[in-house]
Amino acid sequence: MPCYAIDGVIPVVHPSAHVHPTAVLIGDVIVGPGCYIGPCASLRGDFGRIVLHKGVNVQDTCVIHGFPESETVVEANGHIGHGSVLHGCIVRHDALVGMNAVVMDEAEVGAYSIVAACAFVRAGLKLPEKSLIAGLPAKVLRPLTEDEIRWKREGTETYQELARRCHASLREVQPLAEREADRPQLPTHGPKTLVATKRG
């Protein structure tokens, strides 16, 4: 993985975490146990510190950064969807930030909450626990149901398992010229989409 020290500060990655070889970690970045960092994620600890607690996933093309002397923190089991941007904020434990959402400086996403895809959480906004948050700017829409909280937990557990799968079997290869006749299937365990789950 591309890891870079700056001003003598070196990223820290727990041995059980998986950081994709195309992700970039710079400076004061601390990646905890069982984390998953996806392809092309950029974690730039060249101004403020970035801390990912146990079991966090940061998916493809996410950007995490902050102003000098800030800390950007994702607590245990945080789930950061594809293309999201976190800047000098706190995502409390078991919360989800949806795809292409932005969480700005000194904002705080409450534990177990879900920030919807493409939401914009303005600087300094403190969001409550167990809430659905959406919009431009983001607002609390309603409390989450227990089924929605369970669905989020299952999705996060799938990414924690993906970190283990990557340690066990991810490797760079040359593509095949043709599909094999007996092509294997990927494991099918894990959650369905929230729409499919509600459908029943």
Side-chain angles (χ1 to χ4, degrees):
M1 81 192 83
C3 276
Y4 300 92
I6 188 166
D7 298 328
V9 180
I10 301 171
V12 176
V13 178
H14 192 275
S16 64
H18 169 75
V19 180
H20 191 273
T22 62
V24 177
L25 278 55
I26 300 171
D28 198 0
V29 177
I30 301 166
V31 178
C35 289
Y36 172 88
I37 312 298
C40 300
S42 174
L43 283 65
R44 282 182 47 213
D46 46 14
F47 292 156
R49 175 171 293 168
I50 295 167
V51 182
L52 307 181
H53 291 197
K54 182 177 180 180
V56 166
N57 69 79
V58 175
Q59 298 172 18
D60 322 51
T61 72
C62 289
V63 174
I64 303 181
H65 194 237
F67 280 106
E69 300 183 4
S70 69
E71 267 200 358
T72 306
V73 178
V74 183
E75 293 185 345
N77 304 317
H79 190 111
I80 312 302
H82 313 288
S84 296
V85 177
L86 306 182
H87 204 276
C89 59
I90 298 175
V91 177
R92 294 295 182 195
H93 69 87
D94 297 282
L96 180 151
V97 176
M99 293 181 273
N100 289 306
V102 175
V103 185
M104 291 298 295
D105 303 279
E106 299 185 36
E108 185 175 317
V109 177
Y112 301 100
S113 285
I114 293 177
V115 176
C118 298
F120 178 80
V121 178
R122 63 176 171 77
L125 185 63
K126 310 299 184 196
L127 293 162
E129 296 186 354
K130 298 184 178 180
S131 299
L132 177 61
I133 296 139
L136 294 161
K139 294 183 172 108
V140 176
L141 297 187
R142 60 173 172 79
L144 289 174
T145 67
E146 288 304 314
D147 284 344
E148 289 167 331
I149 292 169
R150 186 179 312 110
W151 171 82
K152 183 273 167 194
R153 183 175 62 244
E154 291 172 357
T156 300
E157 288 169 353
T158 300
Y159 269 93
Q160 291 165 349
E161 175 61 22
L162 180 57
R164 293 188 286 271
R165 287 171 59 205
C166 288
H167 273 290
S169 68
L170 185 72
R171 60 193 175 93
E172 190 169 1
V173 296
Q174 291 297 314
L176 302 172
E178 295 181 8
R179 177 177 171 173
E180 318 97 298
D182 57 348
R183 186 170 181 81
Q185 294 281 349
L186 289 167
T188 56
H189 61 276
K192 299 176 182 177
T193 67
L194 188 54
V195 173
T197 302
K198 287 180 175 179
R199 199 165 47 230

